[in-house]
Amino acid sequence: MFLTISTTGSAERPATDLGFLLHKHPEKAQAFSTSYGTTHVLYPEADAERCTAALLLEVDAVALVRRGKGKGRGGAPDAALAQYVNDRPYAASSLLAVALSAVFSSAMRGVCTARPQLPAQPRPLRIEVPALPARGGPGLVRSLFEPLGWTVTAEPVPLDGEFPQWGDSRYIRLVLDADTLTLAEALRHLYVLLPVLDDAKHYWVSPDEVDKLLRAGEGWLPGHPEQRLITSRYLSRRWSLTRQAMERLELVRLAETDDTAVEDIDNAVEAEAEQEEKPTPLAVQRREAILAALRASGAARVLDLGCGQGQLVQQLLKDPAFTEIVGVDVSMRALTIASRRLKLDRMGERQSARVNLLQGSLAYTDKRLGGYDAAVLSEVIEHLDLPRLPALEYAVFGAARPRTVLVTTPNVEYNVRWESLPAGRVRHGDHRFEWTREEFRAWAEKVAGQYGYGVGFVPVGPDDPEVGPPTQMAVFQADTPKEAKAA
């Protein structure tokens, strides 16, 4: 990935002062090792009239994967390969922001021991980024940079120049021009806004990221019209960190308004100020909806098909009404984690008699699963290829045939409400499909009719009037007077 910083000058105020500000000599090409590759700094041009510093980051794809979140862009069936083959080596991102901070740290702080007067002087600046992912398009780019004094050119990059009918990609070529900013201000803008536009970070966002954001945003972020979006995206939408940052930014704004210190404003805040209620995670809402439906059905012996790491089994064990609970999963690793979560090795004899974990595939009939009151398939069917669904339908509804079957699956219509989810992408890289409400209803009614069940539908999570709930649940009840129809 590549970025250039250019300035112009004169004999009295040469453009090569840029070398002093960046602490990098214009006549040298330098290389710096980072955790994710090598950063090169060189000067394609350097004279009194014009000087350009270029930063080239060569990303080591293997090192990126080994150190954490180098997993491509998600949603791809070949996710293993996508860890190594993705846009990270080519498109500006949080990786480039970290490289800027590491290589130009003194310049970003406005420190220049050789020429102490230079950092405070505004100068003509031109910054070019050939490839920048912009989630929000050129309009968002302008709304982020223009309030800071930049003249913005954001040109969409076509998917293929030879096939214009394919349209534009999600990348832009960015050019920023300004005459009234210092180099330190420009670098701090880039450090924050590059990962905001990319809307993804390659490393874990810890609480100290709030301090980094406030340091880099000093003087411009408290009054920025897109402050909330910047803060949320920079902190990877971690609501607790975003709230903390927003509260501190508001203190800064109030202190500037009252011409007083932040500490004085902060001391005036009551110690027991009302806290914002933490939103209930969708996974918790889903388990609560499942438990409510199981209790309403009167089930005592329950199958959790595709139990994963045992979260639902753990909740079922807390209710003595469920006398026998069986978790089934094809993954032995998931079952091992579930066993540790449930503390089966330390569980009392009476409690352990209520629970059993089995390895098995839902694509095959299994005599061990017959005779139960209820079965739950929570976020399971979307992980199967569509041609394999009929095998699961027969194994559950035809062969095991519990009296009640609960099936939950994502509602793809709701995906537009997830700001962090790119258009056209599924919620998880392993999802083979995600259905609309109409598609899910059609499938459930077909299965119910084929195997002698009645079916009703329950929304899970906030029920949006336009796109419905984030999760949809079908509740199947066996028509006991009727025989199951042949598969």
Side-chain angles (χ1 to χ4, degrees):
M1 56 185 76
F2 190 67
L3 175 147
T4 61
I5 304 171
S6 303
T7 188
T8 55
S10 61
E12 296 77 21
R13 193 181 176 188
T16 48
D17 284 348
L18 183 63
F20 288 100
L21 287 167
L22 294 175
H23 295 255
K24 304 293 180 288
H25 200 289
E27 295 181 6
K28 295 181 180 179
Q30 298 175 265
F32 305 86
S33 295
T34 69
S35 301
Y36 303 98
T38 304
T39 304
H40 302 271
V41 178
L42 59 148
Y43 288 78
E45 54 184 346
D47 55 42
E49 293 184 353
R50 184 174 177 84
C51 184
T52 297
L55 185 145
L56 172 66
L57 176 58
E58 290 185 302
V59 175
D60 183 341
V62 175
L64 184 60
V65 172
R66 286 176 176 170
R67 290 184 63 87
K69 293 169 61 179
K71 298 186 178 179
R73 295 276 175 179
D78 53 344
L81 180 61
Q83 296 183 68
Y84 300 96
V85 183
N86 52 59
D87 65 353
R88 286 315 188 202
Y90 315 107
S93 66
S94 57
L95 291 167
L96 186 59
V98 171
L100 281 171
S101 176
V103 176
F104 298 144
S105 58
S106 297
M108 191 175 293
R109 296 196 312 270
V111 175
C112 182
T113 53
R115 301 281 182 86
Q117 75 282 3
L118 289 182
Q121 296 175 359
R123 63 188 58 252
L125 292 172
R126 184 179 180 89
I127 294 172
E128 298 185 53
V129 185
L132 172 66
R135 299 186 186 279
L140 178 61
V141 178
R142 286 188 286 271
S143 69
L144 293 181
F145 283 101
E146 285 180 350
L148 303 175
W150 293 101
T151 299
V152 180
T153 303
E155 300 175 350
V157 177
L159 283 171
D160 192 312
E162 295 186 9
F163 299 94
Q165 66 271 24
W166 289 2
D168 295 326
S169 69
R170 52 190 169 85
Y171 303 94
I172 63 163
R173 174 180 174 270
L174 177 65
V175 180
L176 303 173
D177 291 285
D179 294 320
T180 59
L181 296 173
T182 65
L183 180 63
E185 290 172 326
L187 291 174
R188 290 198 295 268
H189 296 166
L190 292 171
Y191 176 76
V192 173
L193 296 180
L194 288 180
V196 166
L197 283 167
D198 183 34
D199 199 15
K201 283 203 170 185
H202 67 280
Y203 55 86
W204 172 249
V205 176
S206 57
D208 65 351
E209 290 295 308
V210 175
D211 294 326
K212 293 179 184 179
L213 172 63
L214 296 181
R215 282 198 299 270
E218 183 177 359
W220 63 270
L221 184 54
H224 198 290
E226 297 291 345
Q227 177 196 104
R228 182 172 293 276
L229 180 142
I230 293 170
T231 303
S232 176
R233 285 194 178 191
Y234 182 87
L235 297 171
S236 294
R237 292 182 174 78
R238 290 190 61 189
W239 75 269
S240 58
L241 297 183
T242 302
R243 186 187 66 185
Q244 179 185 339
M246 292 297 295
E247 289 173 350
R248 291 173 62 180
L249 287 168
E250 179 62 13
L251 287 175
V252 172
R253 188 190 68 79
L254 292 172
E256 291 176 349
T257 302
D258 294 344
D259 195 22
T260 187
V262 172
E263 293 78 10
D264 295 336
I265 295 290
D266 201 14
N267 288 339
V269 177
E270 295 181 8
E272 297 183 358
E274 183 178 352
Q275 297 295 314
E276 179 182 341
E277 185 177 350
K278 184 178 179 179
T280 303
L282 181 58
V284 174
Q285 296 183 60
R286 190 160 47 234
R287 287 194 290 272
E288 290 174 349
I290 291 169
L291 288 168
L294 288 173
R295 291 176 183 130
S297 72
R301 304 175 67 237
V302 179
L303 297 167
D304 183 6
L305 304 178
C307 66
Q309 299 178 16
Q311 292 94 331
L312 179 60
V313 172
Q314 187 177 41
Q315 293 299 312
L316 290 167
L317 277 170
K318 295 178 181 179
D319 190 335
F322 303 114
T323 58
E324 184 179 353
I325 304 148
V326 176
V328 182
D329 204 282
V330 72
S331 168
M332 275 304 303
R333 182 172 180 271
L335 292 173
T336 301
I337 295 173
S339 178
R340 287 201 299 265
R341 175 190 294 275
L342 299 171
K343 299 181 175 63
L344 290 183
D345 57 338
R346 287 177 282 169
M347 189 177 285
E349 183 177 349
R350 188 172 181 179
Q351 186 79 329
S352 64
R354 296 174 57 210
V355 62
N356 193 15
L357 298 179
L358 304 175
Q359 184 183 26
S361 171
L362 302 182
Y364 302 96
T365 58
D366 190 335
K367 293 181 179 179
R368 297 174 298 175
L369 307 184
Y372 285 84
D373 299 327
V376 178
L377 294 105
S378 180
E379 310 301 286
V380 170
I381 60 173
E382 64 272 10
H383 291 273
L384 273 70
D385 292 316
L386 284 170
R388 302 192 69 187
L389 263 185
L392 175 143
E393 294 163 10
Y394 177 73
V396 175
F397 295 91
R401 194 165 177 79
R403 188 174 69 248
T404 300
V405 181
L406 307 180
V407 180
T408 74
T409 192
N411 168 23
V412 71
E413 297 170 76
Y414 194 88
N415 287 0
V416 297
R417 297 294 187 253
W418 303 119
E419 187 180 349
S420 60
L421 189 64
R425 296 294 179 89
V426 292
R427 296 185 198 176
H428 189 280
D430 190 51
H431 284 186
R432 302 305 197 263
F433 61 88
E434 287 178 0
W435 277 334
T436 64
R437 288 168 291 173
E438 183 177 349
E439 289 170 329
F440 181 55
R441 181 179 290 271
W443 172 82
E445 290 176 346
K446 174 186 74 72
V447 171
Q450 184 173 359
Y451 292 102
Y453 281 78
V455 64
F457 300 91
V458 178
V460 179
D463 196 355
D464 189 288
E466 295 181 2
V467 298
T471 295
Q472 43 193 341
M473 180 166 72
V475 180
F476 296 85
Q477 294 287 345
D479 297 331
T480 49
K482 300 179 181 179
E483 293 294 328
K485 299 179 183 179

